[in-house]
Amino acid sequence: MKAYIFPGQGAQFSGMGKDLYETSELAQSMFEKANQILGFRITDIMFEGTIEALKETKVTQPAVFLHSVILAKILDNFHPEMVAGHSLGEFSALVANGTLSFEDGLRLVSKRALAMQKACEIKPSTMAAVLGLADEIVEQVCATIDGVVVAANYNCPGQLVISGETTAVEKACEAMKEAGAKRALLLPVGGAFHSPMMEPAREELAAAIEATTFSTPICPVYQNVTATAVSDPNEIKKNLITQLTAPVKWTQSVRQMVQDGATLFTEVGPGKVLTGLVNKIDKEVATANI
């Protein structure tokens, strides 16, 4: 079975999407529509801007979303049998499988980016990558730290990202090293994504999601929150709202997709991070990048 996977924030690069704009009338139309919806010319930043400009919150998430969704739309023989996205990428996946329209997906992504930025400004928070420890040990260490720090991204065996209050994450990093981690290093991010620190953003995004039409998809989405196949629009909504404060269960999602019959994982969008993670989760499945 064909599984299509969509990258999240961090996959952006300067010049992204310019080749699509110049070679596809459909891509050009979608990019111009995005400029109108967002109220600024994101294409100018994507095609000609610096990587620093692409890191601005209101730009980063829509840019990665646009690149992935437009690429999927212009692909020949795009017939997904299952989809998944890492964090932000879940919105791209939901457009790709027909749950969300392109326009509604972009509006939600834009609202998500701005809401997350506001939540990040409330209290100092951050994330850190922990390498070389079992998931269970990382969870146990987090539970011993005073303050908010939780497992946020289960990326692949031996690679887990923690998230929370800055001081708590820093203490957790030291404790992880003492527990045998090969590395535990702070990440250059603006806040504690996929943690309780994002509760204000979750509340703000929930209203927008509830007001948006979600259709029955053409194939199931394996959502970050449950790591299971979901096709019911109401359940998809609920999980998408929870996603902001819950961990991304990527390892679990990929394993479940393989168990359910996935034999080829194709990453649609900038970068090759997700196929790299898939290869570490299951060395037997085939991967491809577009």
Side-chain angles (χ1 to χ4, degrees):
M1 294 179 69
K2 295 180 181 179
Y4 287 85
I5 52 179
F6 297 83
Q9 190 167 338
Q12 67 273 10
F13 63 91
S14 183
M16 61 188 295
K18 187 175 183 179
D19 55 338
L20 303 179
Y21 187 93
E22 293 176 342
T23 57
S24 166
E25 290 185 4
L26 175 57
Q28 188 175 86
S29 174
M30 293 176 73
F31 273 123
E32 290 300 340
K33 185 173 289 186
N35 287 335
Q36 295 172 11
I37 291 173
L38 294 172
F40 65 94
R41 291 193 61 80
I42 192 171
T43 50
D44 292 348
I45 303 173
M46 291 176 67
F47 303 164
E48 308 295 343
T50 62
I51 191 63
E52 287 73 23
L54 274 168
K55 288 180 180 178
E56 189 177 351
T57 303
K58 72 173 185 178
V59 175
T60 307
Q61 295 192 37
V64 174
F65 169 87
L66 285 169
H67 191 278
S68 293
V69 169
I70 291 174
L71 191 54
K73 290 289 185 183
I74 65 174
L75 280 178
D76 292 329
N77 301 315
F78 181 71
H79 301 296
E81 294 170 281
M82 53 178 72
V83 296
H86 191 287
S87 189
L88 161 70
E90 191 161 283
F91 287 83
S92 306
L94 291 174
V95 174
N97 77 349
T99 303
L100 287 169
S101 70
F102 165 66
E103 295 84 356
D104 284 342
L106 179 58
R107 291 188 185 98
L108 288 178
V109 165
S110 180
K111 287 181 182 294
R112 179 182 191 266
L114 296 175
M116 290 171 71
Q117 179 60 38
K118 283 194 285 186
C120 291
E121 294 168 356
I122 295 174
K123 190 172 185 178
S125 59
T126 191
M127 304 177 80
V130 180
L131 307 180
L133 279 184
D135 293 348
E136 297 78 13
I137 295 177
V138 174
E139 293 165 351
Q140 290 168 10
V141 171
C142 285
T144 68
I145 304 297
D146 289 333
V148 177
V149 57
V150 297
N153 296 346
Y154 293 82
N155 287 333
C156 69
Q159 185 186 131
L160 201 156
V161 174
I162 59 175
S163 180
E165 296 171 322
T166 300
T167 54
V169 171
E170 290 172 344
K171 291 176 184 176
C173 284
E174 293 306 312
M176 297 293 175
K177 294 172 186 175
E178 292 174 4
K182 293 179 181 178
R183 298 183 73 184
L185 63 160
L186 296 179
L187 298 175
V189 296
F193 308 134
H194 300 289
S195 82
M197 306 297 289
M198 287 293 109
E199 181 59 28
R202 188 198 67 80
E203 293 175 356
E204 188 171 336
L205 187 62
I209 288 175
E210 291 293 358
T212 301
T213 298
F214 279 54
S215 302
T216 301
I218 60 172
C219 70
V221 57
Y222 285 71
Q223 292 193 272
N224 293 174
V225 170
T226 63
T228 57
V230 186
S231 295
D232 176 71
N234 290 326
E235 188 177 351
I236 292 173
K237 272 190 178 185
K238 181 186 71 175
N239 292 334
L240 201 59
I241 292 169
T242 304
Q243 191 219 63
L244 272 182
T245 55
V248 174
K249 297 179 180 178
W250 189 251
T251 299
Q252 300 90 325
S253 295
V254 171
R255 284 174 173 164
Q256 188 61 52
M257 293 167 87
V258 172
Q259 186 175 321
D260 291 348
T263 54
L264 172 63
F265 286 80
T266 301
E267 184 170 1
V268 183
K272 299 181 179 180
V273 171
L274 295 188
T275 47
L277 295 179
V278 170
N279 288 329
K280 292 176 181 177
I281 295 167
D282 191 314
K283 294 179 173 59
E284 301 300 317
V285 299
T287 56
N289 295 85
I290 299 173

